[in-house]
Amino acid sequence: MRSHAMKKADQILRAVAAKDVTLTLIGESGSGKEVLARRAHELSERRRGPFVPINCAAIPDALFESELFGHERGAFTGASERAKGKVEAAERGTLLLDEIGEMPMPMQAKLLRFLENRRYMRVGGATKIEADVRLMFATLRPLDQEVRAGRFRADLFYRIQGITLNVPALRERRADIAPLLSQFTAQHSARHGVRPPRFSRQAKALLLRYDWPGNVRELRNVVETLCLLRAGRQVRVADLPESARQLIAPEPEDAAADVSRASTSLALDLDDGLESLIQQIVEAALERDGGDKIKAAARLRISLRTVQRYVAAGRVRVPSGPVRGGQRAAKK
């Protein structure tokens, strides 16, 4: 990572990873808390053991104890056999309790008791089991706020209060967007067995300016979609999610005003090849003229049939909304 914030976070991780101290990560959803927790695990002496994440917000209250500590056969209706819990699954490794602030209050008391002696019983069991596991925690909001709001036990808060690491949102560390964009492009292209797409200067600039409300998770998903839909081709602004385009540029008062203000210049990359350049030029002309094929052909000084051929072959996109002139001409 290039940003100062993430370099500082990595320094803290390296300093505490080898120590069996409690680590709590605070940050927005999708900001990379689990990634950092996994990195701390891989830098620790427990790296040969499992790394087990559990999302506290995704577990029904009635099943929480069983999910965490496991259960014996017949412990409740449907328990047809003994099942391991996440604590047992993480033996000699690391257990990450994500969204710890969403843990039900009764379960918080049981977790506190477990933390005091690192012993637990499966639901329906009678034998105490020793646990050798390191616990990490992640939360969307600082836990002291949850304590003041009465949603989190103060005694548990003070028990797990160790090293706290604030994970900044992606919009607060824009220097990381470009390397993440390259990393995810390479990863998803290899995963799906496709040629990586190429990002036009305009598209890349827009991605770097976008606020990414879904943080790293949103960026990863957007890149995966583009790798599948634009494999081996250029990614243009029109290929980006509408939410990104709308959040970056203010919406015009109306379509006519947008067309009137559109630029007649176009930046091209000569490495894209002649056919790709022609497609980009035809598409830009159609966008400039509101989808009117006649006007676009006249602007480019080419025949209407040439424009229609590119549209019919699906090589260029026609702007959505009412299409003028060219549509009527195509019907004649």
Side-chain angles (χ1 to χ4, degrees):
M1 294 299 177
R2 297 177 182 173
S3 68
H4 174 73
M6 294 308 290
K7 287 179 180 178
K8 183 177 180 180
D10 193 60
Q11 289 176 350
I12 296 174
L13 284 183
R14 288 178 177 277
V16 304
K19 313 298 181 183
D20 253 358
V21 296
T22 302
L23 178 63
T24 300
L25 301 114
I26 305 173
E28 293 180 6
S29 178
S31 58
K33 298 186 295 295
E34 184 175 330
V35 173
L36 291 177
R38 189 180 295 273
R39 176 161 174 75
H41 167 74
E42 292 172 349
L43 291 171
S44 74
E45 296 298 323
R46 294 179 176 270
R47 57 183 173 274
R48 295 181 181 85
F51 175 82
V52 180
I54 176 173
N55 190 322
C56 298
I59 304 173
D61 292 5
L63 299 178
F64 213 111
E65 185 175 4
S66 172
E67 186 73 16
L68 195 60
F69 299 130
H71 62 259
E72 298 288 351
R73 180 180 179 181
F76 49 83
T77 303
S80 56
E81 58 185 20
R82 173 186 287 179
K84 287 184 178 182
K86 298 298 186 184
V87 170
E88 192 170 356
E91 183 69 15
R92 298 183 182 277
T94 302
L95 176 64
L96 170 65
L97 294 177
D98 195 7
E99 297 195 43
I100 182 65
E102 302 300 323
M103 179 177 283
M105 291 291 278
M107 194 62 216
Q108 291 180 27
K110 295 178 180 179
L111 176 62
L112 177 62
R113 188 162 58 248
F114 166 71
L115 291 173
E116 293 294 342
N117 53 32
R118 296 303 171 101
R119 302 177 69 194
Y120 67 96
M121 284 193 301
R122 299 188 186 99
V123 177
T127 304
K128 290 278 188 179
I129 303 173
E130 296 281 346
D132 178 14
V133 61
R134 180 184 186 180
L135 272 81
M136 296 183 189
F137 305 93
T139 174
L140 298 174
R141 299 171 297 277
L143 291 176
D144 56 346
Q145 296 180 9
E146 300 299 291
V147 172
R148 289 195 293 271
R151 293 188 293 264
F152 200 81
R153 293 178 61 106
D155 48 2
L156 178 58
F157 168 68
Y158 293 120
R159 180 63 181 79
I160 69 175
Q161 191 178 32
I163 305 298
T164 299
L165 187 61
N166 289 291
V167 184
L170 190 54
R171 64 182 175 275
E172 297 171 356
R173 46 185 174 105
R174 294 187 182 276
D176 294 333
I177 298 178
L180 285 172
L181 184 62
S182 300
Q183 175 186 331
F184 293 150
T185 300
Q187 288 177 350
H188 289 306
S189 297
R191 175 188 172 195
H192 295 293
V194 298
R195 291 175 56 200
R198 306 181 307 278
F199 291 85
S200 69
R201 285 193 293 271
Q202 297 97 325
K204 188 171 184 179
L206 188 133
L207 292 175
L208 295 178
R209 292 169 54 203
Y210 182 45
D211 276 347
W212 298 106
N215 291 295
V216 179
R217 183 182 296 125
E218 182 185 7
L219 174 59
R220 182 189 295 113
N221 292 339
V222 167
V223 172
E224 182 173 21
T225 300
L226 293 173
C227 285
L228 292 173
L229 299 183
R230 302 295 296 175
R233 292 179 290 173
Q234 186 181 64
V235 175
R236 304 153 300 181
V237 170
D239 300 314
L240 301 181
E242 184 178 355
S243 58
R245 287 179 280 147
Q246 288 182 342
L247 287 173
I248 290 299
E251 291 192 16
E253 292 147 7
D254 52 59
D258 187 42
V259 171
S260 67
R261 288 195 295 266
S263 172
T264 55
S265 62
L266 178 65
L268 298 171
D269 189 341
L270 295 179
D271 292 333
D272 289 341
L274 180 60
E275 184 61 25
S276 176
L277 293 175
I278 294 174
Q279 292 174 20
Q280 292 176 57
I281 292 170
V282 173
E283 186 168 295
L286 284 167
E287 185 173 352
R288 174 65 178 84
D289 291 308
D292 191 318
K293 300 183 185 70
I294 294 176
K295 288 184 178 180
R299 181 183 300 281
L300 298 176
R301 297 179 180 85
I302 59 177
S303 68
L304 174 60
R305 181 167 296 184
T306 299
V307 176
Q308 291 172 335
R309 186 171 67 249
Y310 275 95
V311 172
R315 288 187 246 175
V316 300
R317 298 182 183 181
V318 179
S320 58
V323 181
R324 299 179 295 277
Q327 186 180 53
R328 292 194 297 271
K331 291 180 179 179
K332 290 181 181 180

